[in-house]
Amino acid sequence: MPSQPVRSVRRTVCVAAPAHVVYGMLADAPRWPVLLPSYVHVERMDFDGAGETLLAWEFQDGRVRSSRLRRTLRPQAHRVDFEQDDPAWPGDTVAGSWSVEPDGAERSLVTLRQQTPHAPAGTFAGPDRLGADAAERLARLREAAERWDRLDELLLAFEERVRVEGPAELVYDFLYRVEDWPELLPHVDDSSVREDRPGTQVVVLDTGAAGAGPTAGPDDEAAGSETVRLCFPHAGRIVFKETAPPAPVTAHSGEWSLVPDESGLTVVCAHRVLLGEESLEAALGAGALPVDARRQVRERLGRESRQTLRLAKWHAESPVRRLRQGRGGSRR
């Protein structure tokens, strides 16, 4: 049989960031969801110091795509070799490398090389997608890396938690059934859920005035916020990412997790946020600084998380209280 033809692309961009900074972003894959727009979640399955296997979920063209990446990290050479495949399309594999070369003290040349057999048109490795995919990934990396000297101000990570004395299954059920939230949560006016396959949800929440910024007027309407959610019931986790968060937020990802112990469980909602410098004044008013945005975003997301956690706690503990009361009544 003749061998399959191989398609290759090579793209290079100049990035206004030192080579070690750019390489660090490429190597630190678990941080991609808050730095690179397409990524919803990246899970490191194994790592031996040089080689690693990642599971990655991306939201592209209105759908969630999962892939497996096998990578070799070469920090001395500022290079990452990879092989990526899509479980939904056997044989739809992309192999290649990222390489970063210094271009002076504060600039770098970043090259992405990709090659693949001719996969079916329309798939993520198809001949109509490979070049455009490489250009898009380089552009997004450059955008994130060129904020490198301000990331400490622009990145925000925090969590809210609540103690629950009730079954983990009931807590998870409450968090999973997001279509019921408009009837239960004060900051949610409406919701719609699309679940193309079990455990992968695309959710649109209308949070009304609760989601509007401090400069919004009484007649302003907040658009629905779209969120991709990956649900892992056996692990007690729901990972999420907003696809187009409201200003001054550029990226917002996080996770609901259930942490059981001997006497109950702790429910945690973790948030990771990247602020956008260009939208600070438009969202918060003239003279707004990153510290002002951090305070406002922390307050809003924290308040919404606490409301949800309190309702999840009530949902899980109410049947337990009724059961205890019923048992107590039977003894009297």
Side-chain angles (χ1 to χ4, degrees), residues 160 210 298-308 310:
E160 300 287 346
R298 174 70 176 86
E299 179 183 350
R300 176 177 64 84
L301 293 178
R303 179 177 63 251
E304 294 174 359
S305 299
R306 290 190 298 273
Q307 289 175 345
T308 306
R310 283 196 294 267

Side-chain angles (χ1 to χ4, degrees), residues 7 9 61 92 116 118-133:
R7 176 177 173 82
V9 298
D61 301 325
D92 189 16
T116 180
H118 275 315
T123 64
F124 89 95
D128 54 339
R129 296 290 301 274
L130 199 60
D133 178 76

Side-chain angles (χ1 to χ4, degrees), residues 26 55 87 90 95 100 105 128-129 156 172 177 186 190 203 209 212 228 232 240 269 279 288:
L26 291 169
L55 291 181
V100 187
D128 54 339
R129 296 290 301 274
L156 174 64
Y172 189 89
R177 294 176 62 84
D190 194 14
V203 178
V228 177
F232 305 100
F240 62 86
C269 183
S279 62

